[in-house]
Amino acid sequence: MNNIIEISNLNKSFDALKKVRVLKKISYKFKKGKIYSLMGPSGSGKSTLLNLLSLIDKPNSGSISIDNKQIDFNNSNKNDILRAKKIGIIYQQDNLLPDFTALENIYLASLAAGNKRKLSISKAKVLLKKVGLLNRSEHYPSELSGGEKQRISIARALINNPQIILADEPTGSLDLKTAKGIFDILKKQINSNRIIIFATHNRFFANKSDCLLEMIDGNIKAING
Ligand SMILES: Nc1ncnc2c1ncn2[C@@H]1O[C@H](COP(=O)(O)OP(=O)(O)O)[C@@H](O)[C@H]1O
Ligand SMILES: [Mg+2]
């Protein structure tokens, strides 16, 4: 089967002062080998959906299956391992660890997935080269530009060779030229066994995906693909 992620009747609400229903019975099958863009106005639920797909948050009801195996949201240990091995996540604001160098930020994600230090460091160096920042390996996040930090975040997301890459407005806080560079690096990471889902406000980038999804009134509408 080509479906790598299948969501079924997914509901998510938040109980703040007032109950907000964000995702309303969403069902969708995501195929591997494709890059999906997720569009929708601010507050439409893009991050909420990505946080469920990354197994960071739990739905109120409904299910998520990855590789035809239904996720048990009560088994957070298992889901943490699954996430570390299978899912690479990139946020709008890089959430790099401020007290660690670029190289360390990348290879720590490999250690977290249970790999040996030596292997982790050598993989991190290959990735630093791939994102064009080998000369910045000993720099701390505060010494890097926004675009450079995002490139480190991409390298970190890739180190465990994840089958699923989730990016939440990865270019949202960058100028257009830098954003294009980041988007090109991201887009190059697609392969037949992998899926990339990225949330964006930018129709220029959204149109470059294989499948454009719009979040409308708590649901997903496929515009193409
Ligand atoms: N932890 C939370 N507690 C309460 N409300 C939340 C929480 N997270 C998100 N929301 C609400 O859910 C809605 C969708 O938010 P979000 O998924 O962040 O939208 P988007 O990423 O599309 O801008 C918003 O109305 C937001 O205020
Ligand atoms: Mg968001």
Side-chain angles (χ1 to χ4, degrees):
M1 281 290 277
N2 255 346
N3 294 333
I4 175 166
I5 305 174
E6 192 168 342
I7 60 181
S8 180
N9 295 319
L10 208 58
N11 284 298
K12 179 69 184 175
S13 9
F14 293 103
D15 285 303
L17 290 173
K18 196 171 120 219
K19 184 167 171 166
V20 203
R21 274 190 81 193
V22 182
L23 307 181
K24 300 175 188 166
K25 243 186 150 185
I26 299 188
S27 297
Y28 196 78
K29 291 174 182 164
F30 292 90
K31 292 186 172 22
K32 57 186 171 188
K34 288 188 186 292
I35 175 160
Y36 291 80
S37 56
L38 195 57
M39 280 203 86
S42 186
S44 59
K46 302 180 296 297
S47 298
T48 301
L49 179 60
L50 290 177
N51 288 340
L52 294 179
L53 295 179
S54 56
L55 315 181
I56 288 169
D57 204 359
K58 295 178 185 183
N60 294 82
S61 61
S63 65
I64 297 178
S65 296
I66 294 181
D67 276 337
N68 293 311
K69 283 185 225 72
Q70 192 174 325
I71 300 298
D72 173 4
F73 280 93
N74 293 318
N75 194 339
S76 51
N77 285 343
K78 189 177 171 193
N79 295 341
D80 288 346
I81 295 168
L82 182 75
R83 182 185 320 104
K85 295 200 164 167
K86 237 181 167 25
I87 306 177
I89 308 173
I90 302 150
Y91 294 97
Q92 173 171 0
Q93 297 295 342
D94 71 278
N95 59 342
L96 299 174
L97 301 167
D99 298 331
F100 292 86
T101 65
L103 183 72
E104 288 165 343
N105 264 285
I106 300 168
Y107 85 69
L108 283 172
S110 171
L111 292 184
N115 296 305
K116 292 245 156 52
R117 188 182 163 87
K118 208 172 159 189
L119 174 71
S120 301
I121 293 177
S122 69
K123 276 190 185 172
K125 285 186 176 162
V126 170
L127 284 164
L128 267 171
K129 191 165 179 205
K130 192 170 177 171
V131 298
L133 288 177
L134 198 52
N135 58 344
R136 298 303 190 112
S137 65
E138 298 309 317
H139 288 225
Y140 288 88
S142 62
E143 300 169 327
L144 300 169
S145 71
E148 287 166 346
K149 283 190 274 193
Q150 278 308 59
R151 284 195 266 166
I152 300 297
S153 302
I154 292 175
R156 179 179 62 178
L158 289 173
I159 194 161
N160 298 319
N161 194 22
Q163 220 190 337
I164 299 170
I165 296 179
L166 303 174
D168 195 351
E169 303 200 35
T171 60
S173 47
L174 304 173
D175 62 82
L176 188 61
K177 182 164 171 273
T178 310
K180 280 182 177 165
I182 294 297
F183 185 77
D184 287 343
I185 293 175
L186 191 62
K187 197 157 184 240
K188 274 195 202 130
Q189 308 313 320
I190 196 68
N191 64 45
S192 59
N193 200 34
R194 182 176 268 169
I195 180 175
I196 300 177
I197 307 174
F198 70 99
T200 183
H201 275 299
N202 189 318
R203 202 162 280 275
F204 175 79
F205 295 129
N207 285 335
K208 292 190 171 212
S209 65
D210 297 314
C211 185
L212 200 166
L213 305 175
E214 267 197 25
M215 299 226 49
I216 300 171
D217 194 26
N219 236 299
I220 281 181
K221 189 173 161 209
I223 306 295
N224 65 13

